[in-house]
DNA sequence: TCTGGGGTCCTAGGACCC
DNA sequence: TCTGGGGTCCTAGGACCC
């Protein structure tokens, strides 16, 4: 079980309470104070500072359910500011890329680094350097977990944050008693085991990671599919998950939002649909793909006691495309077919699927190649301008100007790093 | 009053075909 | 009376992740 463990070393670097840490970069007065960040539309709590966690604020709690605690303890509240988080994430990842030639950006706040080239005895110090450099260059605190597989690196990261000596670093490749660590890790903390499988395992008397990876392969395979079996092998130190250094293109792209207020009119809802389609199309072009299938959905608020309606319609495009013009045209047509008057809509969205490489796009039978090329030039230009000067610098008139349906973000902080108008100002006294 | 958004993969079962 | 066997494709649903 242990022979392969020391050969390979994967570090999982994870930003601590990432969204909260981002808010604190330009608000150092908020250090050591309870801070929370809300999901889109100021719906639920999605990030909490350690102080807020200690006060009993749980992940995912609806905002309105914690108002009392917020008032009582003067918790600082922020709406999600993705412009800020995305930019700071990029800076953290750039910094991390200096520490390994092989890196997988796993999410907005996590990356796996292959650090097998670092001798076992120096890995802890290496992790410290990572931590210090990221802190100095970006002000974002990170934790580092090291293991011989991705799953073990994840598990190590858990202990980096939760062990008594919590310095934010834990090296499982260099630890005296791995079995003891696995034994102290509850099954629900294992990466790849969610609450359903955790329940199932506990029902069978399996409570910790050590007991889990000692289960017979056949049992795991039968009850938890091949995915569960991979997880078990990874915990045993046998790598089943490769480092994905190049993100594979998305197979589906969804752009959807809940509205800040219920929307009833055909025109306002159509604005939202056009806006989401434009966003999805831009994502599509960014990964150099084209979509063959388009879906549109609308829904009322399932939590409200009022007439409910939801519908979804999909449409096979005449040929794969990434043209916003084309996609907007079909999305609008689809929307017109499912819209029903007299409902208070809360959410709408657009899905693009059956995604192919842009080189596979063909010119439609009744389109002129010149027209298609013209479209491509227009979008390349628009995308470039929006990239340089900020999203929505150029947008479609049909997206609307006022956009009363926009999501609610009452506690939004400035876009300190991505918008000239909101750049921080230093006052000299 | 107020409840997010965006992804992945696997499996079972049905339709259909030869 | 006997009532095959193997394959593909699609879909819905379930599990997971951040």
């Amino acid at each position: 079980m242990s022979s392969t463990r020391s050969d390979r070393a994967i570090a999982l670097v994870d930003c601590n309470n990432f969204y909260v840490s981002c808010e604190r970069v330009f608000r150092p007065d908020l250090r050591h104070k309870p801070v929370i960040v809300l999901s889109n539309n100021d719906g639920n709590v999605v990030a909490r500072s350690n102080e807020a966690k200690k006060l009993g604020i749980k992940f995912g709690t609806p905002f309105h359910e914690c108002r009392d605690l917020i008032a009582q303890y003067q918790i600082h509240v922020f709406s999600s500011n993705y412009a800020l988080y995305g930019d700071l994430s990029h800076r953290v990842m750039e910094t991390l890329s200096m520490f390994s030639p092989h890196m997988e950006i796993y999410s907005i706040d996590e990356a796996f680094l292959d650090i097998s080239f670092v001798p076992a005895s120096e890995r802890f110090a290496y992790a410290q350097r990572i931590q210090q450099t990221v802190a100095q260059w970006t002000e974002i605190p990170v934790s580092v977990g090291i293991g011989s597989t991705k799953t073990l690196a994840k598990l190590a990261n858990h202990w980096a944050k939760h062990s008594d000596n919590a310095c934010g670093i834990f090296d499982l490749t260099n630890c005296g008693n791995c079995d003891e660590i696995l034994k102290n890790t509850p099954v629900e903390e294992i990466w790849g085991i969610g609450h359903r499988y955790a329940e199932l395992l506990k029902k069978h008397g399996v409570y910790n990671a050590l007991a889990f990876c000692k289960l017979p392969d056949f049992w795991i395979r039968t009850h938890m599919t091949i995915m569960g079996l991979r997880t078990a092998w990874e915990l045993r130190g046998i790598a089943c998950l490769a480092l994905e250094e190049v993100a594979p293109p998305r197979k589906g792209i969804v752009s959807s939002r809940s509205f800040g207020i219920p929307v009833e009119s055909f025109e306002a809802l159509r604005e939202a649909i056009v806006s989401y389609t434009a966003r999805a199309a831009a994502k599509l072009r960014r990964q150099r793909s084209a979509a063959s299938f388009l879906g549109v959905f609308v829904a009322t608020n399932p939590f409200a006691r009022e007439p409910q309606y939801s519908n979804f319609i999909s449409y096979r495009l005449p040929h794969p495309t990434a043209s916003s013009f084309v996609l907007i045209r079909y999305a609008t047509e689809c929307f017109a077919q499912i819209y029903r008057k007299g409902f208070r809509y809360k959410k709408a969205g657009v899905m693009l699927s059956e995604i192919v490489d842009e080189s596979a796009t063909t010119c439609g039978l009744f389109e002129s190649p010149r027209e298609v090329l013209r479209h491509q030039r227009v979008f390349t230009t628009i995308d470039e301008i929006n990239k340089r000067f900020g999203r929505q610098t150029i947008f479609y008139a049909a997206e609307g100007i006022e956009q009363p349906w926009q999501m609610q973000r009452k506690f939004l902080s400035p876009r300190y790093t991505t918008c000239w108008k909101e750049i921080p100002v230093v006052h000299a006294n």
Side-chain angles (χ1 to χ4, degrees):
Chain A
M1 191 154 154
S2 55
S3 64
T4 51
R5 275 204 182 147
S6 51
D7 304 334
R8 194 162 165 258
I10 303 293
L12 174 68
V13 183
D14 183 317
C15 301
N16 302 342
N17 314 327
F18 182 56
Y19 294 173
V20 166
S21 299
C22 290
E23 297 294 348
R24 279 176 170 165
V25 170
F26 294 97
R27 288 288 308 272
D29 57 304
L30 296 181
R31 284 179 205 168
H32 312 299
K33 297 209 174 129
V35 179
I36 58 172
V37 177
L38 305 175
S39 62
N40 282 340
N41 242 339
D42 295 338
N44 319 57
V45 178
V46 288
R48 306 154 295 154
S49 70
N50 291 343
E51 298 77 14
K53 287 177 189 170
K54 276 189 197 133
L55 292 173
I57 304 241
K58 300 263 179 290
F59 177 90
T61 315
F63 174 48
H64 64 94
E65 281 178 24
C66 22
R67 285 196 187 258
D68 289 347
L69 276 176
I70 289 166
Q72 192 182 342
Y73 296 105
Q74 295 173 9
I75 299 172
H76 298 262
V77 179
F78 289 94
S79 303
S80 288
N81 183 347
Y82 288 105
L84 178 66
Y85 311 155
D87 183 58
L88 291 183
S89 167
H90 184 68
R91 295 172 190 219
V92 169
M93 298 307 168
E94 288 272 290
T95 308
L96 290 178
S97 69
M98 320 266 298
F99 287 90
S100 172
H102 305 292
M103 166 167 132
E104 171 185 342
I105 297 174
Y106 177 66
S107 74
I108 194 165
D109 69 334
E110 284 170 82
F112 290 101
L113 273 65
D114 189 333
I115 56 162
S116 307
F117 60 87
V118 181
S121 60
E122 293 168 28
R123 281 177 197 151
F124 191 89
Y126 199 74
Q128 278 181 316
R129 271 182 51 208
I130 293 177
Q131 230 181 11
Q132 286 157 6
T133 310
V134 176
Q136 194 178 338
W137 293 3
T138 71
E139 284 281 328
I140 301 288
V142 299
S143 300
V144 186
I146 304 169
S148 59
T149 64
K150 287 165 83 173
T151 307
L152 285 169
K154 270 276 199 183
L155 194 142
N157 195 279
H158 168 81
W159 287 105
K161 290 202 177 89
H162 293 95
S163 63
D164 296 335
N165 64 338
C167 60
I169 298 172
F170 196 93
D171 183 2
L172 255 177
T173 63
N174 226 350
C175 106
N177 198 347
C178 287
D179 281 4
E180 197 58 28
I181 300 294
L182 292 184
K183 202 172 162 184
N184 286 324
T185 308
V187 281
E188 60 266 28
E189 296 296 340
I190 301 169
W191 185 47
I193 294 186
H195 82 282
R196 299 305 295 268
Y197 283 152
E199 264 172 49
L200 174 82
L201 288 167
K202 285 181 190 167
K203 223 188 290 173
H204 285 82
V206 174
Y207 293 92
N208 61 62
L210 185 66
F212 170 64
C213 63
K214 282 187 171 166
L215 281 170
D217 284 357
F218 180 76
W219 191 93
I220 301 175
R221 172 71 236 241
T222 312
H223 292 88
M224 303 171 67
T225 82
I226 190 75
M227 306 291 279
L229 191 55
R230 272 183 209 145
T231 299
W233 281 42
E234 285 254 324
L235 286 175
R236 296 172 195 163
I238 300 159
C240 301
L241 305 173
L243 215 58
E244 286 182 15
E245 296 178 50
V246 181
R250 305 248 169 266
K251 295 176 174 175
I253 289 172
V254 177
S255 176
S256 78
R257 289 280 181 282
S258 295
F259 306 128
I261 48 165
V263 175
E264 289 181 69
S265 85
F266 177 84
E267 290 74 21
L269 210 48
R270 190 180 55 191
E271 278 179 17
I273 294 289
V274 171
S275 178
Y276 300 160
T277 310
R279 190 199 324 249
K283 278 191 209 171
L284 197 59
R285 293 192 295 268
R286 205 176 312 142
Q287 66 168 30
R288 304 193 153 281
S289 303
S292 328
F293 222 76
L294 171 132
V296 173
F297 68 88
V298 294
T300 49
N301 183 359
F303 295 101
R305 281 195 217 116
E306 57 187 32
Q308 296 287 317
Y309 171 70
S310 68
N311 207 343
F312 171 75
I313 186 170
S314 61
Y315 182 79
R316 172 167 296 283
L317 298 159
H319 54 90
T321 182
S323 157
S324 293
F325 296 146
V326 174
L327 291 167
I328 287 172
R329 188 169 77 229
Y330 287 110
T332 322
E333 277 174 26
C334 285
F335 163 68
Q337 284 184 44
I338 56 172
Y339 174 80
R340 299 285 176 276
K341 210 171 153 49
F343 292 98
R344 287 155 51 86
Y345 293 93
K346 181 62 179 169
K347 190 175 178 177
V350 173
M351 299 175 180
L352 302 178
S353 55
E354 294 195 19
I355 288 174
V356 297
D357 191 85
E358 68 178 354
S359 62
T361 56
T362 51
C363 183
L365 186 59
F366 302 107
E367 275 179 324
S368 86
R370 192 175 299 171
E371 190 72 2
V372 172
L373 282 174
R374 202 174 64 84
H375 276 206
Q376 276 176 4
R377 279 207 302 276
V378 169
F379 293 122
T380 311
T381 311
I382 291 179
D383 291 343
E384 191 53 44
I385 289 172
N386 283 340
K387 188 179 166 196
R388 199 187 308 173
F389 299 102
R391 225 167 57 78
Q392 296 281 344
T393 303
I394 295 189
F395 60 96
Y396 300 86
E399 293 181 54
I401 307 288
E402 298 285 320
Q403 300 191 328
W405 41 269
Q406 271 291 2
M407 63 180 165
Q408 207 170 107
R409 295 203 283 180
K410 268 196 219 154
F411 315 101
L412 192 60
S413 53
R415 290 166 289 178
Y416 300 105
T417 59
T418 55
C419 177
W420 284 111
K421 277 187 219 148
E422 300 178 19
I423 203 162
V425 177
V426 178
H427 298 277
N429 284 327

